[in-house]
Amino acid sequence: IYAQNMLGTVYNHGIGTDPNKVNAYIWWAMANTSSKLKVRDKLDELQEAMTTDELRTAQETAAQCYQSKFKQCQPTLLQTASI
């Protein structure tokens, strides 16, 4: 759970990688559904900075990852360059 939160932070700020709003959203969404960590504010703030397409992709991928218990995540989305 903490790792999911940290991955969201890494992607959001581009720590060791290119910043990627979609990946940040996906991992913060996972942390939000899995714990009592207060990441909802991070998600809300990030949503405001995302395009409609970025948000749709992030929400669809997060739902797919969560429902499949991380077995059906689309690696191409998780490894994309900065959008």
Side-chain angles (χ1 to χ4, degrees), residues 2-47:
Y2 290 106
Q4 294 164 347
N5 182 42
M6 289 305 300
L7 279 170
T9 300
V10 164
Y11 280 116
N12 189 50
H13 295 290
I15 302 169
T17 188
D18 292 328
N20 188 304
K21 292 180 235 171
V22 172
N23 288 342
Y25 184 96
I26 291 166
W27 290 110
W28 278 339
M30 294 298 97
N32 189 56
T33 60
S34 301
S35 75
K36 295 178 182 178
L37 291 176
K38 297 187 179 197
V39 296
R40 184 73 243 171
D41 291 341
K42 294 177 184 179
L43 285 170
D44 291 342
E45 185 177 321
L46 183 59
Q47 280 180 303

Side-chain angles (χ1 to χ4, degrees), residues 21-77:
K21 292 180 235 171
V22 172
N23 288 342
Y25 184 96
I26 291 166
W27 290 110
W28 278 339
M30 294 298 97
N32 189 56
T33 60
S34 301
S35 75
K36 295 178 182 178
L37 291 176
K38 297 187 179 197
V39 296
R40 184 73 243 171
D41 291 341
K42 294 177 184 179
L43 285 170
D44 291 342
E45 185 177 321
L46 183 59
Q47 280 180 303
E48 292 177 19
M50 296 174 81
T51 66
T52 303
D53 287 339
E54 288 173 330
L55 182 58
R56 181 178 30 81
T57 299
Q59 288 173 332
E60 289 172 358
T61 305
Q64 182 180 8
C65 288
Y66 184 74
Q67 291 168 356
S68 69
K69 298 184 184 196
F70 304 98
K71 294 180 181 174
Q72 294 180 357
C73 296
Q74 298 176 7
T76 54
L77 288 178

